[in-house]
């Protein structure tokens, strides 16, 4: 039963390709897309736990499952993809022959992500993460935004390099333990140089694929130029697959304190680097893309502090509010993405949605962001516990800036499906926060007041008049730099684990 969660979207992706080949257009393709998007949600309702595909033994077979740790990843993906699917039906022009191919790619990503999240062995996880990645590369290139093919190429090459290194690390794990099943590897793993090397290589590879600082170089371009529903899916869900892979890795292999500390340091650096870069953006989608770099830092903070369930809930929360923000900003800024040239004045539904999602990503109660940040914070001690409140203030300053500009402008024509998708995610961010127990706290008012004061001070200093523009360099040179940083991080992680 559990593998159906992956088989259903694959089946309907194939159906769409066949319909397109037969030159069938319109309603049948829309129906197939919606069925492939929505039907997998029924699987977790009917079946959870674990099972081995084909009835083989755990040692020889492929074990999949839905449980406490991967459940929030799956829930976040299913909620976001449903909203993205509704949005996409109104976004794409079904008279264009490329539309069917784009929808098939969306379902390919859907299947890949769900397959990765239910995986309980390294090789199966790798296969499905790559299926999702292939769909993501193609959708970035699919965009008609200037520079989309360049961004796709810049995304593709480093990601492929990370994939090769990750599967090499999986080979080392298999060579040392004789297994690929995560639980069995955890039982069989004995500390050794080979497993330490596998851990360092695989961790660096997943950091790159998750777009975490300093291996984030491909992310702002790819996420900001993709079609709006693809941006929402890339930022809200695709970067979560490597985060889940880190949980599998840290669950199975012997870990030293050094790699945990380095992981937390990288997480904190990613949080504040993303905020700083977002503050210096005038391109709204690029601002949101840098916040993905920042927000993935929180997920890594939970993983590196060995609070896997807490990290999973943060991943789910981020899927909902970041996906909603990309859909909202993409709808409002159809003609221009530059802050000050568009906004939500005169569009109350969209204004409510973007404001609610901004509060959610800022960690204000009773939205789900507050609940998830509370979980991450509860697992931290010492100076690390300061990272979450400081990051909260920085995020709120950035989103105060975003909403300050959005208040000034008006949107173009907004389609009902766009408002419905964005507002549904805003309501989900609020409803799930209340359901899970996020309560209004006095600290929220302090965060908001401090953030407003910092925003006003920075505005008076003229910070928001400045902008760090991406200077297009020769793409090969940029890929070389990304590769050099990746190799440096990988070597550093390997050296840290020397006895």
């Amino acid at each position: 039963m559990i593998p159906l969660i992956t088989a259903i979207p694959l089946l309907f992706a194939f159906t769409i390709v066949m319909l397109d080949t037969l030159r069938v257009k319109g309603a049948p393709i829309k129906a197939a897309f919606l069925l492939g998007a929505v039907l997998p949600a029924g699987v977790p309702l009917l079946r959870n736990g674990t099972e081995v595909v084909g009835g083989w033994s755990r040692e020889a077979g492929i074990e999949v499952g839905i449980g406490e740790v991967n459940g929030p990843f799956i829930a976040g993906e299913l909620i976001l993809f449903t909203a993205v699917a509704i949005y996409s039906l109104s976004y794409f022009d079904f008279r264009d022959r490329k539309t069917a191919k784009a929808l098939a790619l969306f379902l390919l990503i859907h299947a890949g992500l769900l397959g990765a999240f239910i995986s309980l062995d390294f090789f199966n996880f790798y296969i499905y993460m790559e299926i999702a990645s292939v769909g993501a590369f193609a959708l970035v290139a699919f965009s008609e935004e200037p520079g989309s093919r360049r961004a796709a190429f810049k995304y593709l090459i480093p990601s492929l390099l990370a994939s090769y290194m990750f599967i090499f690390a999986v080979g080392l794990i298999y060579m040392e333990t004789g297994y690929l099943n995560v639980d069995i590897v955890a039982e069989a793993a004995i500390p050794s140089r080979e497993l330490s090397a596998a851990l360092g290589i695989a961790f660096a590879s997943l950091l790159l694929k998750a777009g975490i600082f300093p291996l984030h170089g491909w992310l702002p371009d790819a996420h900001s130029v993709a079609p709006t529903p693809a941006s929402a899916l890339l930022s809200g869900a695709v970067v979560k697959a490597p985060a889940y892979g880190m949980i599998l890795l840290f669950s199975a292999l012997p870990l030293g304190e050094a790699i945990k500390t380095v992981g937390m340091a990288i997480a904190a650096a990613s949080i504040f680097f993303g905020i700083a870069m977002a503050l210096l953006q005038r391109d709204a989608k690029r601002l949101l893309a840098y916040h993905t770099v920042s927000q993935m830092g929180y997920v890594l903070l939970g993983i590196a502090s060995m609070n896997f369930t807490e990290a999973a809930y943060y991943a789910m929360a981020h899927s909902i509010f970041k996906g909603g923000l990309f859909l909202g900003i993409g709808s409002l800024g159809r003609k221009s993405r530059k802050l000050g040239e568009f906004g939500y004045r005169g569009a109350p539904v969209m204004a409510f949605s973007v404001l609610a999602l901004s509060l959610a990503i800022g960690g204000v109660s009773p939205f789900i962001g507050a609940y998830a940040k509370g979980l991450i914070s509860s697992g931290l001690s010492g100076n690390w516990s300061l990272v979450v409140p400081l990051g909260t203030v920085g995020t709120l300053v950035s989103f105060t800036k975003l909403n300050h500009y959005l208040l000034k402008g008006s949107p173009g024509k907004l389609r009902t499906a766009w408002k419905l998708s964005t507002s549904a995610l805003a309501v989900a961010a609020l409803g799930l926060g209340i359901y899970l127990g996020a309560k209004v706290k006095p600290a929220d008012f302090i965060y908001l007041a401090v953030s407003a004061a910092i925003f006003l001070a920075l505005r008076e200093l003229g910070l928001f008049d400045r902008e760090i523009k991406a200077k297009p360099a020769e793409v090969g040179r940029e890929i070389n730099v990304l590769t050099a940083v990746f190799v440096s991080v990988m070597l550093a992680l390997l050296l840290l684990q020397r006895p």
Side-chain angles (χ1 to χ4, degrees):
M1 173 67 81
I2 293 175
L4 285 177
I5 202 170
T6 296
I8 292 169
L10 281 177
L11 172 65
F12 284 101
F14 177 74
T15 303
I16 289 174
V17 172
M18 291 301 296
L19 290 172
D20 184 47
T21 304
L22 296 172
R23 299 186 181 276
V24 176
K25 295 184 178 180
I29 287 183
K30 291 181 181 179
F33 180 60
L34 279 179
L35 288 172
V38 174
L39 286 182
V43 175
L45 298 176
L46 297 173
R47 177 81 170 92
N48 53 32
T50 64
E51 62 185 69
V52 181
V53 179
W56 295 75
S57 67
R58 292 179 75 204
E59 290 80 2
I62 297 171
E63 188 173 18
V64 295
I66 299 174
E68 184 182 23
V69 173
N70 62 359
F73 282 98
I74 295 168
E77 201 278 344
L78 288 170
I79 293 170
L80 174 60
F81 198 88
T82 301
V84 165
I86 294 169
Y87 190 99
S88 298
L89 290 180
S90 180
Y91 181 87
F92 290 105
D93 182 354
F94 280 78
R95 293 168 297 183
D96 186 342
R97 287 216 63 196
K98 292 198 297 184
T99 294
K101 297 177 177 62
L103 298 185
L105 288 171
F106 272 102
L107 289 182
L108 196 67
I109 295 175
H110 195 30
L113 291 173
L114 291 172
F117 293 147
I118 63 171
S119 295
L120 298 178
D121 76 87
F122 288 111
F123 190 72
N124 198 45
F125 164 77
Y126 166 76
I127 294 298
Y128 279 106
M129 180 175 66
E130 290 310 297
I131 289 174
S133 296
V134 168
F137 304 145
L139 277 178
V140 173
F142 184 84
S143 173
E144 295 180 355
E145 288 273 347
S148 59
R149 286 169 180 75
R150 182 181 183 282
F153 188 68
K154 189 174 160 185
Y155 178 16
L156 171 70
I157 300 301
S159 186
L160 281 180
L161 176 62
S163 298
Y164 297 146
M165 297 310 296
F166 182 80
I167 195 63
F168 173 67
V170 170
L172 286 177
I173 293 170
Y174 183 72
M175 183 183 74
E176 276 297 289
T177 65
Y179 302 105
L180 292 170
N181 183 294
V182 173
D183 287 342
I184 301 176
V185 168
E187 293 168 4
I190 298 172
S192 66
R193 288 184 177 181
E194 289 78 9
L195 285 183
S196 295
L199 177 63
I201 294 168
F203 186 37
S205 303
L206 295 173
L207 285 173
L208 188 150
K209 282 182 163 287
I212 292 173
F213 175 83
L215 301 173
H216 65 285
W218 58 269
L219 188 148
D221 288 348
H223 286 199
S224 61
V225 302
T228 291
S231 293
L233 197 59
L234 291 172
S235 183
V238 173
V239 291
K240 304 302 180 339
Y244 178 65
M246 291 179 205
I247 291 177
L248 296 182
L249 200 64
F250 280 27
S251 301
L253 300 185
L255 296 177
E257 286 303 314
I259 200 161
K260 294 180 194 174
T261 304
V262 169
M264 293 176 74
I266 292 173
S270 197
I271 289 170
F272 295 113
F273 173 81
I275 291 170
M277 291 301 293
L279 284 169
L280 294 169
Q281 303 301 315
R282 295 295 299 273
D283 181 315
K285 285 184 74 174
R286 204 168 176 84
L287 181 153
L288 294 180
Y290 273 110
H291 271 292
T292 301
V293 178
S294 175
Q295 295 289 309
M296 286 306 294
Y298 289 102
V299 178
L300 177 59
L301 201 58
I303 295 169
S305 58
M306 306 300 281
N307 296 306
F308 301 144
T309 304
E310 288 80 352
Y313 272 98
Y314 201 90
M316 178 182 75
H318 182 253
S319 295
I320 294 168
F321 53 63
K322 179 51 74 64
L325 282 164
F326 262 112
L327 294 183
I329 298 301
S331 304
L332 296 168
R334 289 280 286 172
K335 295 183 178 177
S336 171
R337 300 189 327 219
K338 189 173 183 180
L339 291 175
E341 295 183 356
F342 68 97
Y344 48 50
R345 180 179 288 179
V349 172
M350 202 59 87
F352 160 78
S353 302
V354 173
L355 277 169
L357 292 162
S358 299
L359 292 172
I361 196 172
V364 175
S365 300
F367 293 95
I368 191 171
Y371 173 77
K373 280 188 178 174
L375 288 179
I376 295 292
S377 186
S378 66
L380 304 175
S381 59
N383 291 333
W384 294 115
S385 60
L386 296 174
V387 172
V388 174
L390 292 176
T392 294
V393 170
T395 304
L396 285 172
V397 172
S398 180
F399 278 88
T400 303
K401 170 193 168 184
L402 176 69
N403 283 280
H404 166 74
Y405 283 107
L406 293 179
L407 275 169
K408 296 179 178 179
S410 301
K413 185 179 179 182
L414 294 172
R415 297 179 184 176
T416 303
W418 300 353
K419 291 187 281 188
L420 176 65
S421 302
T422 308
S423 59
L425 290 172
V427 170
L430 177 60
L432 281 171
I434 294 171
Y435 174 75
L436 291 169
K439 297 176 181 175
V440 176
K441 297 175 290 187
D444 295 326
F445 298 102
I446 296 173
Y447 289 144
L448 288 169
V450 171
S451 304
I454 294 174
F455 165 76
L456 291 172
L458 294 177
R459 191 182 65 170
E460 288 302 311
L461 291 171
L463 179 74
F464 301 137
D465 297 328
R466 301 176 184 175
E467 179 182 14
I468 293 183
K469 289 186 177 178
K471 296 179 181 177
E474 199 272 318
V475 68
R477 184 179 301 171
E478 291 194 11
I479 290 172
N480 287 341
V481 171
L482 279 170
T483 302
V485 176
F486 171 60
V487 172
S488 301
V489 170
M490 191 166 58
L491 288 174
L493 290 172
L494 291 173
L495 291 171
L496 274 171
Q497 297 180 84
R498 292 182 64 186

